[in-house]
Amino acid sequence: MATASFRSGAVGRGGVKADTITNRTSSINSAPKSSFKSKSSAPPQNSGLRRNSTGSVATSTKERGGVSGRVRVAVRLRPRNAEEMVADTDFADCVELQPELKRLNLRRNNWDTDTYEFDEVLTEFASQKRVYEAVAKPVVENVLDGYNGTVMAYGQTGTGKTYTLGRLGEEDTADRGIMVRAMEDILAEISLVTETVSVSYLQLYMESIQDLLDPANGNVSIVEDPKTGDISLPGATVMEIRDQKSFLDLLQLGEAHRIAANTILNTESSRSHAILMVHVKRSVKGRDSALSTEHGPSHLAKTFKQPVVRRSKLAVVDLAGSERISKSGSEAHTLEEAKSINLSLTALGKCINALAENSNHVPVRDSKLTRLLRDSFGGTARTSLVITIGPSPRHRGETASTIMFGKRAMKVENMLKTKEEFDYKGLSRRLDIQLDKLIAEHESQQKAFQDEIERIAQEAQKRISEAERNHDVLLESERMKYEKEYLDAIQKLEQQWETSQGKHEKVGVNDSNNTEKFNQEPNDLGVTEDIAEIKRLLQNETLLRKAAEEEISDLKNQIAQWQRSEARRNLDGGGTTELPSDLDSPLPLICQQLRDSEEEKASMEKLFEQVGLQKILSLLESEDADVRIHAVKVLANLAAEVTNQVKIVKAGGLTSLLAILRSSSDETIHRVAAGALANLAMNETNQELIMSQGGIRLLSVTATNAQDPQTLRMVAGAIANLCGNDKLQIKLRGEGGIRALVGMVKCKHPDVLAQVARGIANFAKCESRAYIQGTKSGKSLLIEDGAMPWIIQNASNEASHIRRHIELALCHIAQHEVNAKDMISGGALWELVRISRNCSREDIRTLAYHTLTSSKSFQAELKRLRVDYG
């Protein structure tokens, strides 16, 4: 005798065990989300609104064009269970699936079959993921777009309905059912900050709606809106979901309270219909509905658009299995349960038949199940039905009945609509947040303004003090200088006077008077002139000091006046913080430059967001030469950041740089564009793009025409980066890259020579790898293009960064016997000997030694020259 019981959990329930469904991924054959979106914007296919199952018009808070959507039906075959393996050993399966044709063959006997086509045909090997993507994922995507959706499982008891929908996947995540996977997708798509997801979990048992999340709530009533015909369950528990774990806990709680019983057909047969209701509330972006008043749009409407929210609902329905009493062995209470289940399923089938035949009357009120599902069949929801069947020929009648139920459901057309409403509470929250943000921003700006005033005042005071100190030092220095000159002049006059006195004593009285009169007049005249000159210089110095003190005083007054005016402007709530234009002292200009230098980096980092890359690229084609130059500089600075390089290339920045390098004759543009290309050429993918668009040829022409060493340095750097790509060796040489490098050595600027040496070293290193890999056998292209004389000449260059690259290039070229003859004739042998003995870097020294000892040609030449080296 079958006994009813309450389940302790959802693991291992039903006739299909966890290991009976083989995980096997297959291709997805479901309607993509994009195709549905294109339909949702189209006008309704019917001229009028479609009526629901009771004849009432389906409406919403804000009506939009409805979209016709047929109920999609998928069939899933359960594999044979252990009992069928024994009982049906000598019999073939009653069904044959053709999933590639979406076709099912049902055998009448050994000769005749009936063929049925469905939207999806899922074999016994279909994984849970495949089932979800084929059956439920399109519905979930529609729910996220604002439409109601229903996913339902129908079939004979024990065919895997609960496994398909409600499996939690605690032991193996691949076994997760549609409920778990649907919630994962919903939580991944929405923002829980501004949008909400809530669930209710119910069971319909013996025509009584019971709350699985609150067992004490055993009789939830159905309420119908008389205007719209919408069905609601106000007494059901609604739990908001914040993460996947909380949802799994709710599912476990609900499954523990769901009623099941042991029958012949299923050891844990569901005795109730389980309904999971997922309510999604999402905000609508990009709508133009704004707040307005009687006199037109208000000031608030210019800032805030009226928030619109969409409310949608996903219903996942796990129907109890239909059963024949003679096969299930139900009796007593389980017999009453079976009767109730079959009656509700029969009522559902009658409603579907009426809708499929466009009957004037749909008996939706015959059962609470049909009332709950009125929106799923003939309503406004996107509905997807999965019918589950078994392979056993003993249950062919039940399988045929299930198949016919699905075929009739495919004829039902729903009219999909979205439900939108204005979110005044959300608008209020946004206004509060914006107000708080503005207050905080205003306070921050006030503080920043005060800090800036204090910083400028401190900087001004510091510079005034520094200017005063410098002035005092200079003034003291000049005073000491003039005082010393004054004392020297006095001492000189005293010496002249003493000399004159000695002469007066040696002559007679008459001659003395004449001589003294003759000599004294010139001396007195010279002393008078010196003293007058000293007084004049002292007066000038005094005037200069007074003028400086007056200038300092004027500066202090002007700064104080500017601070008072800025304070008044701040209290009035407007104005920008700029120094007065009449302040002729260099101090305001210095302060302004300091602020500009501090803000330059932050401005460059925000340039992408504020201006946009496309706008910058469009400025490269401006007729104004200055605009083009500035645009190229900005692009070069952005290209210096690795994170920006992909965006620049994707937006066509590389093509624009090559175009302006080709068309412009301005050397500044050439220099900056070549620098930008050098930055982009650090990426291997960009290197191939530059070569494919003729970049190396343009760089070679630019190098030929350039005069400025900085331009040549940028061009050489770009070519040097391209020289490091193994795939581009032949093409780079063919388009003149090596000759361009060799040609730039005429500049003799150390920065240019360093880039040329780096490029030659990169090229030689790539050639060396090609020799080792067997992809190259001929003479080095560097030797063929005449680079060897310059390499040998600069192998002992005084600049270490140039010498290091040249020594490395020389060692790589000498590693291969085919180059030995040319290197010996050019004098490279002695440089290799010097490198092996005197190079400051041990790795290069070791490489040179290994090259000399392993080369037969070098050893023979050293032996001929009687140089002992081994």
Side-chain angles (χ1 to χ4, degrees):
M1 178 176 179
T3 58
S5 64
F6 287 94
R7 266 175 291 203
S8 60
V11 180
R13 66 177 299 275
V16 182
K17 297 183 180 180
D19 58 349
T20 58
I21 300 294
T22 304
N23 294 322
R24 179 180 178 184
T25 58
S26 59
S27 61
I28 301 172
N29 187 17
S30 60
K33 183 176 180 181
S34 58
S35 63
F36 178 77
K37 286 185 176 179
S38 63
K39 292 182 180 180
S40 63
S41 60
Q45 295 183 4
N46 297 348
S47 59
L49 294 175
R50 180 179 177 87
R51 294 186 176 271
N52 58 18
S53 56
T54 60
S56 61
V57 179
T59 61
S60 62
T61 303
K62 182 176 181 180
E63 288 289 343
R64 301 184 68 195
V67 180
S68 177
R70 177 179 60 79
V71 174
R72 299 183 75 257
V73 180
V75 59
R76 186 182 193 185
L77 176 64
R78 171 183 58 75
R80 286 192 178 190
N81 55 30
E83 179 187 354
E84 292 168 347
M85 289 288 187
V86 177
D88 300 336
T89 302
D90 299 328
F91 301 93
D93 292 347
C94 67
V95 292
E96 177 185 4
L97 303 185
Q98 295 177 311
E100 66 281 357
L101 300 177
K102 298 182 180 180
R103 187 178 296 169
L104 177 149
N105 295 326
L106 178 63
R107 287 191 176 90
R108 295 181 183 177
N109 47 49
N110 292 334
W111 302 275
D112 298 328
T113 60
D114 295 326
T115 302
Y116 304 92
E117 292 184 358
F118 293 93
D119 296 303
E120 290 291 342
V121 174
L122 304 169
T123 68
E124 65 270 30
F125 304 109
S127 66
Q128 291 282 74
K129 179 181 178 182
R130 165 75 175 117
V131 174
Y132 169 75
E133 291 176 344
V135 176
K137 189 169 185 177
V139 178
V140 174
E141 290 173 345
N142 291 152
V143 170
L144 291 171
D145 285 340
Y147 296 89
N148 290 341
T150 301
V151 179
M152 182 186 305
Y154 176 92
Q156 182 188 9
T157 182
T159 53
K161 297 182 297 301
T162 304
Y163 179 90
T164 300
L165 296 182
R167 189 72 169 180
L168 299 183
E170 294 176 327
E171 298 177 355
D172 186 355
T173 57
D175 287 340
R176 291 167 299 159
I178 287 176
M179 292 181 182
V180 178
R181 294 177 185 269
M183 184 56 69
E184 287 177 350
D185 283 357
I186 291 173
L187 292 177
E189 186 69 15
I190 71 168
S191 171
L192 293 176
V193 177
T194 58
E195 301 169 338
T196 61
V197 180
S198 56
V199 300
S200 299
Y201 201 11
L202 310 167
Q203 70 174 351
L204 178 60
Y205 175 70
M206 301 285 287
E207 284 300 299
S208 173
I209 301 177
Q210 300 175 1
D211 194 340
L212 291 175
L213 302 181
D214 183 11
N217 190 3
N219 190 12
V220 179
S221 59
I222 300 176
V223 177
E224 180 178 347
D225 190 329
K227 295 182 179 180
T228 63
D230 291 342
I231 295 296
S232 61
L233 303 169
T237 302
V238 179
M239 302 293 292
E240 187 171 350
I241 302 300
R242 306 303 299 176
D243 52 46
Q244 186 70 10
K245 184 179 182 305
S246 63
F247 176 68
L248 291 177
D249 293 340
L250 290 178
L251 282 185
Q252 287 181 334
L253 176 64
E255 286 295 314
H257 295 140
R258 191 175 175 188
I259 299 174
N262 183 10
T263 67
I264 296 175
L265 296 178
N266 193 348
T267 58
E268 202 172 6
S269 174
S270 299
R271 312 311 290 170
S272 65
H273 307 297
I275 304 172
L276 176 70
M277 310 291 289
V278 182
H279 304 272
V280 180
K281 177 184 174 183
R282 304 195 70 186
S283 57
V284 180
K285 299 178 180 179
R287 299 296 292 274
D288 296 331
S289 57
L291 294 172
S292 60
T293 62
E294 297 178 357
H295 305 288
S298 65
H299 175 72
L300 186 63
K302 299 177 181 178
T303 306
F304 290 96
K305 293 182 178 179
Q306 195 170 16
V308 179
V309 295
R310 283 180 178 170
R311 298 183 184 273
S312 56
K313 178 178 63 177
L314 172 65
V316 183
V317 184
D318 180 10
L319 295 174
S322 61
E323 59 183 67
R324 291 187 179 180
I325 307 303
S326 59
K327 293 184 177 182
S328 65
S330 298
E331 55 183 342
H333 186 67
T334 55
L335 177 61
E336 296 300 321
E337 293 174 341
K339 290 179 180 179
S340 177
I341 292 170
N342 290 337
L343 283 174
S344 60
L345 293 177
T346 301
L348 177 61
K350 289 180 179 179
C351 290
I352 291 176
N353 288 341
L355 289 169
E357 297 170 1
N358 290 322
S359 175
N360 293 329
H361 173 68
V362 179
V364 71
R365 297 186 177 277
D366 289 356
S367 170
K368 288 187 178 181
L369 176 64
T370 54
R371 292 185 66 190
L372 289 171
L373 298 179
R374 62 180 300 175
D375 196 43
S376 304
F377 293 95
T380 62
R382 168 75 72 179
T383 301
S384 184
L385 172 67
V386 55
I387 57 174
T388 58
I389 59 176
S392 174
R394 291 179 295 139
H395 304 302
R396 184 191 177 283
E398 290 82 350
T399 300
S401 175
T402 301
I403 292 172
M404 294 309 300
F405 180 92
K407 291 300 294 181
R408 287 191 294 270
M410 289 178 67
K411 299 178 182 180
V412 177
E413 292 279 348
N414 292 352
M415 184 61 66
L416 278 59
K417 294 181 183 293
T418 58
K419 182 178 181 181
E420 298 179 355
E421 59 186 31
F422 299 126
D423 187 11
Y424 293 106
K425 291 183 180 179
L427 176 60
S428 177
R429 288 194 299 272
R430 287 176 55 196
L431 290 173
D432 291 338
I433 294 172
Q434 186 67 14
L435 180 60
D436 293 340
K437 181 179 178 182
L438 290 174
I439 292 173
E441 184 178 350
H442 177 69
E443 293 176 350
S444 175
Q445 290 178 352
Q446 286 288 100
K447 185 177 183 305
F449 179 75
Q450 293 297 333
D451 293 343
E452 183 69 11
I453 290 178
E454 292 177 4
R455 188 188 67 79
I456 293 174
Q458 292 174 0
E459 186 73 18
Q461 185 62 40
K462 178 181 176 182
R463 293 189 176 275
I464 290 172
S465 301
E466 185 178 354
E468 290 177 345
R469 288 196 300 270
N470 293 338
H471 183 269
D472 292 340
V473 171
L474 291 174
L475 189 61
E476 182 65 19
S477 176
E478 290 295 323
R479 189 187 66 78
M480 295 293 293
K481 174 183 175 183
Y482 289 129
E483 184 178 352
K484 184 177 181 300
E485 291 178 354
Y486 174 74
L487 294 174
D488 291 343
I490 295 297
Q491 186 179 2
K492 184 178 179 182
L493 288 173
E494 289 177 350
Q495 291 175 355
Q496 289 177 357
W497 183 77
E498 291 175 356
T499 303
S500 177
Q501 283 295 105
K503 290 181 180 180
H504 291 166
E505 293 175 355
K506 294 178 183 178
V507 298
V509 176
N510 294 332
D511 293 338
S512 176
N513 292 334
N514 293 332
T515 303
E516 182 178 2
K517 183 177 181 180
F518 179 80
N519 292 332
Q520 187 174 359
E521 290 179 357
N523 291 335
D524 291 344
L525 182 61
V527 171
T528 303
E529 290 177 354
D530 290 340
I531 292 173
E533 179 66 21
I534 291 171
K535 288 182 177 180
R536 185 180 62 81
L537 292 174
L538 288 173
Q539 289 175 354
N540 290 339
E541 183 63 28
T542 302
L543 293 174
L544 288 173
R545 176 168 183 138
K546 288 182 178 179
E549 290 176 350
E550 291 175 357
E551 183 179 2
I552 290 172
S553 178
D554 291 340
L555 283 174
K556 289 181 178 179
N557 293 334
Q558 290 183 30
I559 289 175
Q561 182 180 1
W562 172 77
Q563 289 176 344
R564 288 194 298 272
S565 65
E566 286 299 316
R568 287 196 301 270
R569 186 178 303 141
N570 180 47
L571 290 174
D572 294 337
T576 58
T577 58
E578 296 180 358
L579 292 173
S581 59
D582 59 345
L583 197 58
D584 295 329
S585 169
L587 176 62
L589 296 177
I590 292 172
C591 295
Q592 186 65 31
Q593 290 172 1
L594 289 174
R595 287 200 306 271
D596 293 342
S597 64
E598 293 171 357
E599 295 171 358
E600 182 178 2
K601 183 175 181 181
S603 299
M604 186 59 65
E605 291 174 351
K606 295 181 180 178
L607 194 58
F608 261 143
E609 292 77 10
Q610 295 177 351
V611 178
L613 184 56
Q614 291 299 334
K615 179 63 177 177
I616 297 173
L617 295 179
S618 66
L619 293 178
L620 295 176
E621 301 175 1
S622 173
E623 297 180 358
D624 190 338
D626 291 336
V627 174
R628 292 199 304 274
I629 290 173
H630 286 298
V632 175
K633 288 182 179 179
V634 170
L635 195 61
N637 287 330
L638 294 175
E641 296 291 336
V642 177
T643 55
N644 296 335
Q645 291 179 4
V646 176
K647 299 178 182 177
I648 291 173
V649 173
K650 187 175 180 180
L654 176 58
T655 304
S656 299
L657 285 171
L658 294 175
I660 198 170
L661 190 64
R662 183 184 297 109
S663 61
S664 176
S665 59
D666 188 283
E667 183 135 352
T668 302
I669 291 180
H670 287 176
R671 180 176 67 254
V672 181
L677 288 174
N679 289 334
L680 294 175
M682 290 187 292
N683 180 278
E684 183 175 352
T685 303
N686 295 343
Q687 291 172 358
E688 296 177 0
L689 291 174
I690 292 172
M691 292 295 295
S692 65
Q693 298 183 28
I696 191 65
R697 195 180 301 279
L698 282 175
L699 291 171
S700 302
V701 174
T702 304
T704 303
N705 299 330
Q707 301 295 330
D708 183 20
Q710 295 305 317
T711 303
L712 291 173
R713 180 174 70 88
M714 295 298 181
V715 174
I719 297 177
N721 289 338
L722 295 173
C723 286
N725 193 316
D726 296 338
K727 304 175 184 177
L728 307 178
Q729 295 278 293
I730 302 300
K731 190 170 184 180
L732 187 142
R733 186 253 184 162
E735 294 186 5
I738 299 176
R739 292 189 180 90
L741 281 176
V742 176
M744 283 186 277
V745 302
K746 294 184 293 184
C747 174
K748 297 184 179 179
H749 193 281
D751 292 340
V752 178
L753 297 183
Q755 294 299 327
V756 172
R758 184 171 69 87
I760 289 176
N762 288 342
F763 195 93
K765 191 184 300 182
C766 291
E767 273 197 333
S768 179
R769 285 197 293 266
Y771 281 120
I772 294 173
Q773 294 170 1
T775 58
K776 180 175 177 61
S777 58
K779 191 185 300 183
S780 171
L781 299 179
L782 292 171
I783 297 177
E784 292 183 357
D785 281 1
M788 185 56 67
W790 183 82
I791 295 175
I792 297 172
Q793 180 183 354
N794 286 270
S796 57
N797 194 293
E798 294 180 356
S800 61
H801 57 292
I802 298 176
R803 184 176 65 252
R804 175 171 53 84
H805 288 305
I806 294 300
E807 290 174 343
L808 186 61
L810 203 58
C811 291
H812 280 301
I813 297 173
Q815 277 188 304
H816 308 288
E817 197 71 17
V818 69
N819 300 324
K821 182 177 179 181
D822 294 276
M823 297 187 71
I824 292 171
S825 63
L829 178 60
W830 299 113
E831 291 298 332
L832 287 171
V833 173
R834 179 192 62 77
I835 294 170
S836 68
R837 293 174 176 174
N838 302 326
C839 182
S840 59
R841 285 186 48 174
E842 183 180 356
D843 56 337
I844 299 178
R845 191 167 64 248
T846 303
L847 181 61
Y849 177 84
H850 174 75
T851 301
L852 288 172
T853 56
S854 61
S855 172
K856 296 180 180 179
S857 298
F858 289 148
Q859 285 293 309
E861 182 66 13
L862 290 171
K863 185 176 181 180
R864 186 183 69 81
L865 297 173
R866 298 181 180 180
V867 176
D868 186 13
Y869 196 92

